[in-house]
Each structure stands twice: as C-alpha cells, then as structure tokens.
Amino acid sequence: MRIVAALAYVGFIVREVIVGSWQVTRAAWLPGGLYPPGSGPDGPAIVEFPLRCRSDLEISVLASSITITPGTMVLGIATAQGETPATFFVHVALGGTRSEILRDLRDMESRLLRATRGADVGAGLDAGAGAGAGAALEREDKP
C-alpha cells in the first residue's frame, strides 16, 4: 500500500532530521569536529547524483528531503536530456566517504519511489536509472 510507504517515508525523513541535527550539533561543539583529523570520513564533498525520479513531484520532494536534512543541500539540478537522467549536485558536510554518501542518497530516493510508485517498482528501479547512474561522477569540495 502506497499510503503506508508514504507514512514510512515521512517517518524516515523525521528520523533523518533528528539524527542529522544531532550530528551537526556534535560536530560544532566537539574539539576538532565530529571526526578528528585522520580518524574519520573524507570531509565535506559535492557529489553528482543521477536520479531515478522522473516526475516533477518526485524530483521536488527528493530535493526538499535532502535539503531539509541537516548537513546536506542540493546545490543544483541538471535536467534530463535524452538517455541521461536528471541529476542533483549535493553538498554533504558530514556524510562519510563518497560511496557512503551516494548509498545513503540512493536509499532515500528508493524510499520515496516506493511511496510514489508502489512496492512493485523495487526490482525495476535500477534499470530505469539511465546509463550513467551506476558510475556517478564524484567531486570533492576542496579549498
């Protein structure tokens, strides 16, 4: 049932906001930040995230969900062109390694698509991602 998936998605986003708020607060107050040098993830990054979302509603809700989560922000959106899917450029302050960031973003998108398209789309989600989805380009934000 899509209503159950939609409620689960809202609960997931509330949880992500709470956890993200706690992580950002800890990073701000701990000496050296959340991860002392050499002990944690790569640090702030900008990643290119090809979408499986197709409708304006799905893209808007996902962009809002990412941006409302503390420590993350959608910086830009490249529109779909031909076989190339729409793409988000996401800044992540405390997300871990780039592969972990992409995994977490893909999880959020999958949860949203279950809410908007139903449970049956789970098996076909990766197939509709476009040619470049598996090999997302990653760029690190360095001063």
Side-chain angles (χ1 to χ4, degrees):
M1 293 185 62
R2 290 187 348 186
I3 189 75
V4 172
L7 292 173
Y9 183 74
V10 170
F12 169 76
I13 293 302
V14 168
R15 179 187 165 278
E16 290 297 305
V17 168
I18 292 168
V19 169
S21 296
W22 174 248
Q23 289 175 337
V24 169
T25 301
R26 280 186 52 202
W29 286 98
L30 286 176
L34 188 59
Y35 304 104
S39 70
D42 293 341
I46 296 174
V47 296
E48 183 176 345
F49 179 58
L51 301 176
R52 296 173 292 174
C53 296
R54 294 290 175 249
S55 73
D56 289 344
L57 175 68
E58 290 171 344
I59 292 170
S60 296
V61 170
L62 185 60
S64 296
S65 298
I66 291 169
T67 300
I68 199 171
T69 304
T72 60
M73 179 185 305
V74 175
L75 300 175
I77 303 171
T79 60
Q81 295 182 351
E83 292 295 315
T84 305
T87 302
F88 283 169
F89 296 91
V90 181
H91 178 269
V92 181
L94 302 170
T97 64
R98 283 180 253 146
S99 61
E100 291 171 337
I101 293 167
L102 291 171
R103 183 197 66 222
D104 291 346
L105 290 170
R106 185 67 64 207
D107 177 53
M108 182 181 283
E109 182 185 38
S110 295
R111 291 169 185 265
L112 172 64
L113 294 179
R114 277 194 295 277
T116 59
R117 299 180 190 174
D120 295 339
V121 297
L125 286 178
D126 291 327
L137 296 176
E138 303 159 355
R139 294 179 178 89
E140 191 167 335
D141 184 19
K142 296 221 180 203

